[in-house]
Amino acid sequence: MASSSSSTEAGVVAERRGIPGAQFVEDVQTYLNQSGLDVNSALAFLQERLQQYKVVEMKLLAQQRDLQAKIPDIEKCLDVVATLQAKKGTGEALITDFEVSEGIYSRARIEDTDSVCLWLGANVMLEYSCEEATALLQKNLDNAKASLEVLVADLQFLRDQVTITQVTIARVYNWDVHQRRVRQAAGVAIES
């Protein structure tokens, strides 16, 4: 499971597979000085980054749902091919119901067979020997599971970045409130 993440000297993860890393702000004044932003600009930038994270999260969650739906389908296909191979040579026919369309099923009687047809996508179906079909389906299953693991890791990284950004927004906002109170107290003290 390869990821393209890199670390900076401060230990902040800069990026993971195109997802920018969030910087935890220890000292708000230093952060504002280094970034050259005022409080409102910094808050606007952080809010925009948070929205970008939310968009990426929605895309990753959609990919995760697709993979989670795809894996059981591949496993079901592997089981069917294994059942066909087990019945091969026994002289016993396999009687099964299969889905023709959503909610519409048909019954089939399958005699000894050496091949199966697999949908590859884009309205393409190819005939494979049972052994080739098993190998292809197993490869697809392994790839889907590996992709799901990477997606889960990406989502965890993204959630960490969202949390860091939310904490940073709160720290900048609270720092600003504190600075206003200090200035207000100093103004009251001068008037007295």
Side-chain angles (χ1 to χ4, degrees):
M1 178 167 62
S3 67
S4 61
S5 63
S6 59
S7 297
T8 63
E9 303 82 43
V12 177
V13 175
E15 181 178 299
R16 175 184 169 87
R17 292 174 24 94
I19 303 168
Q23 174 187 0
F24 179 75
V25 174
E26 190 70 40
D27 181 12
V28 175
Q29 182 66 52
T30 304
Y31 168 72
L32 292 174
N33 290 340
Q34 288 177 348
S35 64
L37 300 172
D38 63 9
V39 172
N40 291 331
S41 298
L43 288 172
F45 168 76
L46 292 168
Q47 289 289 350
E48 182 180 332
R49 174 63 59 92
L50 192 58
Q51 290 304 316
Q52 291 171 348
Y53 286 145
K54 295 294 182 179
V55 168
V56 172
E57 183 181 30
M58 288 177 15
K59 289 178 182 177
L60 291 177
L61 287 171
Q63 290 175 3
Q64 183 184 31
R65 278 191 305 273
D66 290 346
L67 281 173
Q68 287 173 331
K70 186 179 187 181
I71 289 172
D73 287 344
I74 296 170
E75 289 171 338
K76 193 185 310 180
C77 289
L78 272 168
D79 289 342
V80 168
V81 173
T83 302
L84 288 171
Q85 285 180 309
K87 293 279 185 181
K88 185 178 176 184
T90 63
E92 185 180 339
L94 176 66
I95 298 175
T96 185
D97 293 330
F98 64 95
E99 191 171 13
V100 177
S101 182
E102 190 173 331
I104 301 172
Y105 292 85
S106 182
R107 181 156 289 163
R109 178 183 175 98
I110 303 171
E111 303 293 335
D112 274 353
T113 183
D114 292 328
S115 63
V116 293
C117 294
L118 297 178
W119 284 108
L120 300 180
N123 292 326
V124 175
M125 178 185 276
L126 285 179
E127 185 174 359
Y128 290 94
S129 70
C130 289
E131 294 78 19
E132 290 173 328
T134 300
L136 177 65
L137 289 168
Q138 189 60 53
K139 178 183 164 202
N140 289 350
L141 180 62
D142 293 342
N143 289 341
K145 286 182 177 180
S147 295
L148 186 59
E149 284 181 28
V150 170
L151 271 175
V152 168
D154 288 350
L155 280 167
Q156 183 57 49
F157 174 79
L158 186 62
R159 287 182 184 123
D160 290 345
Q161 304 320 297
V162 166
T163 301
I164 291 169
T165 303
Q166 289 171 334
V167 168
T168 300
I169 288 170
R171 289 178 60 85
V172 170
Y173 180 80
N174 290 339
W175 178 86
D176 184 44
V177 169
H178 177 73
Q179 293 301 312
R180 288 180 191 191
R181 286 183 183 159
V182 167
R183 285 191 301 266
Q184 186 179 26
V188 171
I190 292 174
E191 291 177 8
S192 310

